[in-house]
Amino acid sequence: MGTALVTGSASGIGAAVRKRLESQGDRVIGVDLRDAEICCDLSTSKGREEAVREALERCDGTLDRLVTCAGLGPATKRASLISSVNYFGAVDVFDGLLPALTQGAAAASVAIVSNSAQMAPLDDTPFVQALLDGDEAKASRIIDDMDSPIVAYMGSKHALGRAIRRRVRLWGTARVRLNGVAPGPVDTPLLKASLEDPIAGPPIANADLPLGRLGRPDDIAALVSFLLGAEASWIHGSIFFVDGGNDADIRPDRY
Ligand code: NAD
């Protein structure tokens, strides 16, 4: 029992995480464009600042759990909107709320990344570098010039995973755990929109998942809940794939 903040709480995975945390007795502060305690636009620095400021007021400076789920999929037309929400909409929230988490009881945080983050060689691209450098204007320029929502999606999730791992010492010293969960295709409005997209849709529709079904939002929420809990007290800085075997099937010799 404690206070948790969940971004993207109005739909899909974020809504399932919210439900689980509430069923465990947490007070959940939701952040989303609509239908949330804090309605704001995480694609802009102003919206992110508002979210952090209002969250700090609502939790009175003490937060026990944080989960960043808000995200846009590759069916989004403007590529830079994807990277602004998926990368900066997560990183700015977890950095802004670290001081409140340091006041929490056994505080822990999870960011939702994606198994697609490892499916293209994006490591040294200028786009990923600009994200990791915190240069939103440069990252937006690069990805809008490329005009590739898919690269924006995979690259923003790749950078987010690295942003988690880069914080392991600072957050560990603060005794706040931070991990990532990387889902495969999960049956949510984001996936439905992706399947209808002429470019993003076919590879997802043709994915032959080893476990033979799409993920359900609660498949992801179950792991998130475990990672936030006492039994995960030595798990920090890790990224967990929850994808019905999708990543192992595609890249069996890498992990
Ligand atoms: P969803 O569309 O059901 O939920 C995403 C939520 O984010 C929505 O409620 C939406 O309003 C919110 N959001 C979007 N833009 C926002 C903004 N600018 N400001 C504030 N909130 C905003 O999608 P989902 O599938 O539940 O996705 C949750 C997370 O999981 C995302 O980060 C997504 O990238 C990731 N993910 C999803 C899948 C999948 O197949 N569904 C796979 C891998 C990763």
Short mmCIF file of all heavy atoms in Angstrom, two decimals, residues 7-15 31-34 40-44 68-73 81 85-86 112-116 153 157 181-191 217, ligand 1:
data_model
loop_
_atom_site.label_atom_id
_atom_site.label_comp_id
_atom_site.label_asym_id
_atom_site.label_seq_id
_atom_site.Cartn_x
_atom_site.Cartn_y
_atom_site.Cartn_z
N THR A 7 1.82 6.71 -15.88
CA THR A 7 1.50 7.49 -17.09
C THR A 7 0.85 6.57 -18.13
O THR A 7 1.08 5.36 -18.12
CB THR A 7 2.75 8.16 -17.71
OG1 THR A 7 3.56 7.16 -18.35
CG2 THR A 7 3.58 8.91 -16.67
N GLY A 8 0.03 7.16 -18.98
CA GLY A 8 -0.70 6.33 -19.96
C GLY A 8 -1.75 5.48 -19.29
O GLY A 8 -2.10 4.40 -19.78
N SER A 9 -2.28 5.97 -18.16
CA SER A 9 -3.17 5.15 -17.31
C SER A 9 -4.57 4.96 -17.90
O SER A 9 -5.34 4.16 -17.39
CB SER A 9 -3.31 5.82 -15.94
OG SER A 9 -3.80 7.15 -16.10
N ALA A 10 -4.90 5.70 -18.97
CA ALA A 10 -6.29 5.66 -19.46
C ALA A 10 -6.57 4.48 -20.39
O ALA A 10 -7.73 4.22 -20.70
CB ALA A 10 -6.61 6.97 -20.18
N SER A 11 -5.54 3.77 -20.84
CA SER A 11 -5.78 2.75 -21.87
C SER A 11 -4.75 1.63 -21.77
O SER A 11 -3.67 1.79 -21.19
CB SER A 11 -5.68 3.44 -23.24
OG SER A 11 -5.82 2.52 -24.29
N GLY A 12 -5.10 0.50 -22.36
CA GLY A 12 -4.15 -0.59 -22.61
C GLY A 12 -3.34 -1.03 -21.39
O GLY A 12 -3.89 -1.32 -20.32
N ILE A 13 -2.04 -1.08 -21.56
CA ILE A 13 -1.14 -1.59 -20.52
C ILE A 13 -1.19 -0.70 -19.27
O ILE A 13 -1.24 -1.20 -18.14
CB ILE A 13 0.30 -1.69 -21.09
CG1 ILE A 13 0.35 -2.76 -22.19
CG2 ILE A 13 1.30 -2.01 -19.98
CD1 ILE A 13 1.63 -2.77 -23.02
N GLY A 14 -1.20 0.62 -19.48
CA GLY A 14 -1.25 1.55 -18.33
C GLY A 14 -2.52 1.35 -17.52
O GLY A 14 -2.47 1.38 -16.27
N ALA A 15 -3.65 1.11 -18.19
CA ALA A 15 -4.91 0.89 -17.46
C ALA A 15 -4.85 -0.42 -16.67
O ALA A 15 -5.35 -0.52 -15.55
CB ALA A 15 -6.08 0.88 -18.44
N VAL A 31 -1.72 9.69 -15.16
CA VAL A 31 -1.34 10.81 -16.04
C VAL A 31 -1.66 10.40 -17.47
O VAL A 31 -1.22 9.34 -17.92
CB VAL A 31 0.17 11.12 -15.94
CG1 VAL A 31 0.56 12.23 -16.90
CG2 VAL A 31 0.57 11.47 -14.52
N ASP A 32 -2.45 11.20 -18.15
CA ASP A 32 -2.78 10.87 -19.55
C ASP A 32 -3.35 12.12 -20.21
O ASP A 32 -3.57 13.14 -19.56
CB ASP A 32 -3.79 9.70 -19.60
CG ASP A 32 -3.65 8.86 -20.88
OD1 ASP A 32 -3.70 9.45 -21.98
OD2 ASP A 32 -3.47 7.64 -20.77
N LEU A 33 -3.60 11.99 -21.50
CA LEU A 33 -4.21 13.12 -22.22
C LEU A 33 -5.64 13.36 -21.73
O LEU A 33 -6.13 14.48 -21.79
CB LEU A 33 -4.25 12.81 -23.73
CG LEU A 33 -2.90 12.81 -24.45
CD1 LEU A 33 -3.05 12.24 -25.86
CD2 LEU A 33 -2.35 14.24 -24.53
N ARG A 34 -6.28 12.30 -21.25
CA ARG A 34 -7.68 12.41 -20.82
C ARG A 34 -7.94 11.32 -19.78
O ARG A 34 -7.12 10.42 -19.59
CB ARG A 34 -8.62 12.20 -22.01
CG ARG A 34 -8.38 10.86 -22.65
CD ARG A 34 -9.18 10.47 -23.84
NE ARG A 34 -9.06 9.03 -24.04
CZ ARG A 34 -7.95 8.38 -24.39
NH1 ARG A 34 -6.82 9.05 -24.57
NH2 ARG A 34 -7.93 7.06 -24.50
N CYS A 40 -2.50 15.89 -19.16
CA CYS A 40 -1.48 16.76 -19.75
C CYS A 40 -0.88 16.06 -20.97
O CYS A 40 -1.07 14.85 -21.16
CB CYS A 40 -0.39 17.06 -18.73
SG CYS A 40 0.51 15.62 -18.31
N ASP A 41 -0.16 16.84 -21.74
CA ASP A 41 0.42 16.34 -22.99
C ASP A 41 1.92 16.10 -22.79
O ASP A 41 2.71 17.05 -22.73
CB ASP A 41 0.17 17.37 -24.10
CG ASP A 41 0.72 16.91 -25.44
OD1 ASP A 41 1.33 15.82 -25.50
OD2 ASP A 41 0.53 17.65 -26.42
N LEU A 42 2.30 14.84 -22.71
CA LEU A 42 3.71 14.51 -22.44
C LEU A 42 4.60 14.68 -23.67
O LEU A 42 5.80 14.43 -23.59
CB LEU A 42 3.81 13.07 -21.91
CG LEU A 42 3.17 12.82 -20.54
CD1 LEU A 42 3.16 11.33 -20.21
CD2 LEU A 42 3.91 13.59 -19.44
N SER A 43 4.02 15.11 -24.79
CA SER A 43 4.86 15.33 -25.98
C SER A 43 5.58 16.68 -25.92
O SER A 43 6.46 16.93 -26.73
CB SER A 43 4.04 15.25 -27.27
OG SER A 43 3.24 16.40 -27.42
N THR A 44 5.19 17.54 -24.97
CA THR A 44 5.84 18.85 -24.89
C THR A 44 6.55 19.00 -23.54
O THR A 44 6.13 18.43 -22.53
CB THR A 44 4.81 19.99 -25.01
OG1 THR A 44 3.97 19.97 -23.85
CG2 THR A 44 3.95 19.84 -26.26
N THR A 68 5.99 4.24 -16.18
CA THR A 68 5.77 5.07 -17.37
C THR A 68 5.31 4.17 -18.52
O THR A 68 6.08 3.37 -19.04
CB THR A 68 7.03 5.86 -17.75
OG1 THR A 68 8.11 4.97 -17.99
CG2 THR A 68 7.43 6.85 -16.66
N CYS A 69 4.04 4.32 -18.87
CA CYS A 69 3.45 3.53 -19.96
C CYS A 69 3.06 4.39 -21.15
O CYS A 69 2.87 3.85 -22.24
CB CYS A 69 2.16 2.83 -19.49
SG CYS A 69 2.36 1.74 -18.09
N ALA A 70 2.88 5.69 -20.96
CA ALA A 70 2.37 6.53 -22.05
C ALA A 70 3.26 6.36 -23.28
O ALA A 70 4.49 6.39 -23.18
CB ALA A 70 2.34 7.99 -21.63
N GLY A 71 2.64 6.16 -24.42
CA GLY A 71 3.44 5.97 -25.62
C GLY A 71 2.58 6.06 -26.87
O GLY A 71 1.36 5.92 -26.81
N LEU A 72 3.25 6.30 -27.98
CA LEU A 72 2.59 6.32 -29.29
C LEU A 72 3.23 5.25 -30.16
O LEU A 72 4.45 5.02 -30.09
CB LEU A 72 2.77 7.69 -29.95
CG LEU A 72 1.99 8.84 -29.30
CD1 LEU A 72 2.40 10.16 -29.93
CD2 LEU A 72 0.49 8.62 -29.43
N GLY A 73 2.43 4.61 -31.00
CA GLY A 73 2.92 3.54 -31.86
C GLY A 73 3.34 4.04 -33.22
O GLY A 73 3.20 5.23 -33.55
N LEU A 81 6.70 13.20 -32.94
CA LEU A 81 5.73 13.11 -31.84
C LEU A 81 5.97 11.80 -31.08
O LEU A 81 5.86 11.74 -29.85
CB LEU A 81 4.31 13.15 -32.44
CG LEU A 81 3.16 13.48 -31.52
CD1 LEU A 81 3.38 14.80 -30.79
CD2 LEU A 81 1.86 13.52 -32.33
N VAL A 85 7.07 11.67 -27.04
CA VAL A 85 6.27 11.01 -25.99
C VAL A 85 7.02 9.80 -25.43
O VAL A 85 7.17 9.64 -24.21
CB VAL A 85 4.89 10.56 -26.53
CG1 VAL A 85 4.11 9.79 -25.46
CG2 VAL A 85 4.09 11.76 -27.01
N ASN A 86 7.52 8.94 -26.34
CA ASN A 86 8.07 7.66 -25.88
C ASN A 86 9.39 7.81 -25.12
O ASN A 86 9.65 7.05 -24.18
CB ASN A 86 8.30 6.73 -27.08
CG ASN A 86 7.00 6.27 -27.71
OD1 ASN A 86 5.93 6.74 -27.35
ND2 ASN A 86 7.09 5.37 -28.66
N ILE A 112 7.98 1.15 -19.52
CA ILE A 112 7.60 0.20 -20.58
C ILE A 112 8.37 0.57 -21.84
O ILE A 112 8.22 1.66 -22.38
CB ILE A 112 6.08 0.24 -20.85
CG1 ILE A 112 5.26 -0.03 -19.58
CG2 ILE A 112 5.73 -0.78 -21.95
CD1 ILE A 112 5.47 -1.41 -18.95
N VAL A 113 9.25 -0.34 -22.27
CA VAL A 113 9.99 -0.14 -23.51
C VAL A 113 9.32 -1.01 -24.58
O VAL A 113 8.09 -1.00 -24.69
CB VAL A 113 11.51 -0.37 -23.31
CG1 VAL A 113 12.09 0.71 -22.44
CG2 VAL A 113 11.84 -1.71 -22.69
N SER A 114 10.07 -1.75 -25.36
CA SER A 114 9.44 -2.60 -26.38
C SER A 114 10.46 -3.62 -26.86
O SER A 114 11.66 -3.29 -26.96
CB SER A 114 9.01 -1.74 -27.57
OG SER A 114 8.68 -2.56 -28.68
N ASN A 115 10.01 -4.83 -27.21
CA ASN A 115 10.97 -5.80 -27.73
C ASN A 115 11.49 -5.38 -29.10
O ASN A 115 12.53 -5.85 -29.54
CB ASN A 115 10.41 -7.23 -27.71
CG ASN A 115 9.39 -7.51 -28.81
OD1 ASN A 115 8.89 -6.60 -29.46
ND2 ASN A 115 9.08 -8.78 -29.00
N SER A 116 10.79 -4.44 -29.77
CA SER A 116 11.26 -3.98 -31.10
C SER A 116 12.55 -3.16 -30.98
O SER A 116 13.23 -2.94 -31.99
CB SER A 116 10.18 -3.14 -31.77
OG SER A 116 9.99 -1.93 -31.07
N TYR A 153 9.84 4.91 -33.53
CA TYR A 153 9.33 4.03 -32.48
C TYR A 153 10.46 3.15 -31.91
O TYR A 153 10.74 3.16 -30.71
CB TYR A 153 8.19 3.15 -33.01
CG TYR A 153 7.55 2.34 -31.91
CD1 TYR A 153 6.66 2.94 -31.01
CD2 TYR A 153 7.89 1.01 -31.70
CE1 TYR A 153 6.11 2.23 -29.97
CE2 TYR A 153 7.33 0.28 -30.65
CZ TYR A 153 6.44 0.90 -29.80
OH TYR A 153 5.91 0.18 -28.74
N LYS A 157 12.43 3.66 -28.18
CA LYS A 157 12.38 2.60 -27.16
C LYS A 157 13.81 2.07 -26.87
O LYS A 157 14.14 1.74 -25.73
CB LYS A 157 11.47 1.46 -27.63
CG LYS A 157 10.01 1.86 -27.73
CD LYS A 157 9.43 2.24 -26.37
CE LYS A 157 7.94 2.47 -26.41
NZ LYS A 157 7.37 2.73 -25.09
N VAL A 181 10.41 -3.02 -18.86
CA VAL A 181 9.68 -4.18 -19.36
C VAL A 181 9.47 -3.97 -20.85
O VAL A 181 9.01 -2.91 -21.28
CB VAL A 181 8.33 -4.34 -18.61
CG1 VAL A 181 7.42 -5.32 -19.33
CG2 VAL A 181 8.58 -4.81 -17.18
N ALA A 182 9.84 -4.98 -21.64
CA ALA A 182 9.80 -4.87 -23.10
C ALA A 182 8.75 -5.83 -23.65
O ALA A 182 9.03 -7.01 -23.88
CB ALA A 182 11.18 -5.21 -23.67
N PRO A 183 7.53 -5.33 -23.88
CA PRO A 183 6.49 -6.22 -24.41
C PRO A 183 6.69 -6.49 -25.89
O PRO A 183 7.27 -5.69 -26.62
CB PRO A 183 5.19 -5.42 -24.21
CG PRO A 183 5.54 -4.25 -23.35
CD PRO A 183 7.01 -3.99 -23.57
N GLY A 184 6.15 -7.62 -26.34
CA GLY A 184 5.93 -7.87 -27.76
C GLY A 184 4.52 -7.38 -28.08
O GLY A 184 3.97 -6.56 -27.33
N PRO A 185 3.92 -7.87 -29.18
CA PRO A 185 2.60 -7.36 -29.55
C PRO A 185 1.50 -7.69 -28.53
O PRO A 185 1.23 -8.87 -28.25
CB PRO A 185 2.31 -8.05 -30.90
CG PRO A 185 3.43 -8.96 -31.18
CD PRO A 185 4.49 -8.81 -30.16
N VAL A 186 0.92 -6.64 -27.98
CA VAL A 186 -0.10 -6.77 -26.94
C VAL A 186 -1.40 -6.16 -27.48
O VAL A 186 -1.37 -5.08 -28.08
CB VAL A 186 0.32 -6.02 -25.65
CG1 VAL A 186 -0.75 -6.15 -24.58
CG2 VAL A 186 1.66 -6.57 -25.13
N ASP A 187 -2.49 -6.85 -27.23
CA ASP A 187 -3.78 -6.44 -27.78
C ASP A 187 -4.30 -5.18 -27.09
O ASP A 187 -4.95 -5.24 -26.05
CB ASP A 187 -4.76 -7.62 -27.59
CG ASP A 187 -6.02 -7.42 -28.40
OD1 ASP A 187 -6.08 -6.45 -29.18
OD2 ASP A 187 -6.95 -8.23 -28.23
N THR A 188 -3.99 -4.03 -27.67
CA THR A 188 -4.40 -2.72 -27.14
C THR A 188 -4.77 -1.82 -28.32
O THR A 188 -4.46 -2.15 -29.48
CB THR A 188 -3.23 -2.04 -26.38
OG1 THR A 188 -2.24 -1.68 -27.35
CG2 THR A 188 -2.62 -2.92 -25.32
N PRO A 189 -5.35 -0.66 -28.06
CA PRO A 189 -5.65 0.28 -29.17
C PRO A 189 -4.39 0.64 -29.97
O PRO A 189 -4.47 0.80 -31.19
CB PRO A 189 -6.22 1.49 -28.43
CG PRO A 189 -6.87 0.91 -27.20
CD PRO A 189 -5.95 -0.22 -26.78
N LEU A 190 -3.24 0.76 -29.30
CA LEU A 190 -2.00 1.08 -30.03
C LEU A 190 -1.69 -0.01 -31.07
O LEU A 190 -1.35 0.27 -32.21
CB LEU A 190 -0.84 1.24 -29.03
CG LEU A 190 0.55 1.63 -29.55
CD1 LEU A 190 1.33 2.37 -28.46
CD2 LEU A 190 1.35 0.44 -30.03
N LEU A 191 -1.82 -1.27 -30.66
CA LEU A 191 -1.52 -2.37 -31.59
C LEU A 191 -2.55 -2.41 -32.73
O LEU A 191 -2.18 -2.62 -33.89
CB LEU A 191 -1.49 -3.72 -30.86
CG LEU A 191 -1.05 -4.86 -31.78
CD1 LEU A 191 0.47 -4.85 -31.96
CD2 LEU A 191 -1.49 -6.22 -31.27
N PRO A 217 -2.97 -7.03 -21.97
CA PRO A 217 -2.40 -6.00 -21.09
C PRO A 217 -2.02 -6.54 -19.70
O PRO A 217 -0.99 -6.16 -19.14
CB PRO A 217 -3.51 -4.95 -21.02
CG PRO A 217 -4.20 -5.07 -22.36
CD PRO A 217 -4.17 -6.55 -22.70
P1 NAD B 1 -2.51 2.48 -25.63
O1 NAD B 1 -2.67 3.35 -26.84
O2 NAD B 1 -3.61 1.59 -25.23
O3 NAD B 1 -2.11 3.39 -24.36
C1 NAD B 1 -1.18 4.43 -24.46
C2 NAD B 1 -1.63 5.57 -23.57
O4 NAD B 1 -0.65 6.63 -23.69
C3 NAD B 1 -2.99 6.16 -24.00
O5 NAD B 1 -3.89 6.23 -22.91
C4 NAD B 1 -2.63 7.52 -24.53
O6 NAD B 1 -3.63 8.51 -24.35
C5 NAD B 1 -1.36 7.85 -23.73
N1 NAD B 1 -0.61 8.90 -24.42
C6 NAD B 1 -0.25 8.93 -25.73
N2 NAD B 1 0.30 10.11 -26.02
C7 NAD B 1 0.30 10.84 -24.88
C8 NAD B 1 0.73 12.17 -24.57
N3 NAD B 1 1.22 12.99 -25.50
N4 NAD B 1 0.58 12.60 -23.29
C9 NAD B 1 0.03 11.79 -22.35
N5 NAD B 1 -0.39 10.53 -22.59
C10 NAD B 1 -0.27 10.08 -23.85
O7 NAD B 1 -1.17 1.68 -25.89
P2 NAD B 1 -0.47 0.46 -25.11
O8 NAD B 1 -0.27 -0.59 -26.11
O9 NAD B 1 -1.12 0.18 -23.82
O10 NAD B 1 0.97 1.12 -24.87
C11 NAD B 1 1.52 1.32 -23.57
C12 NAD B 1 3.03 1.31 -23.71
O11 NAD B 1 3.45 0.00 -24.10
C13 NAD B 1 3.56 2.26 -24.79
O12 NAD B 1 4.71 2.90 -24.31
C14 NAD B 1 3.90 1.34 -25.93
O13 NAD B 1 4.91 1.84 -26.75
C15 NAD B 1 4.33 0.10 -25.19
N6 NAD B 1 4.29 -1.13 -25.98
C16 NAD B 1 3.09 -1.57 -26.48
C17 NAD B 1 3.09 -2.72 -27.26
C18 NAD B 1 1.81 -3.26 -27.84
O14 NAD B 1 1.87 -4.16 -28.70
N7 NAD B 1 0.63 -2.79 -27.45
C19 NAD B 1 4.28 -3.42 -27.50
C20 NAD B 1 5.48 -2.94 -26.97
C21 NAD B 1 5.46 -1.78 -26.20
#
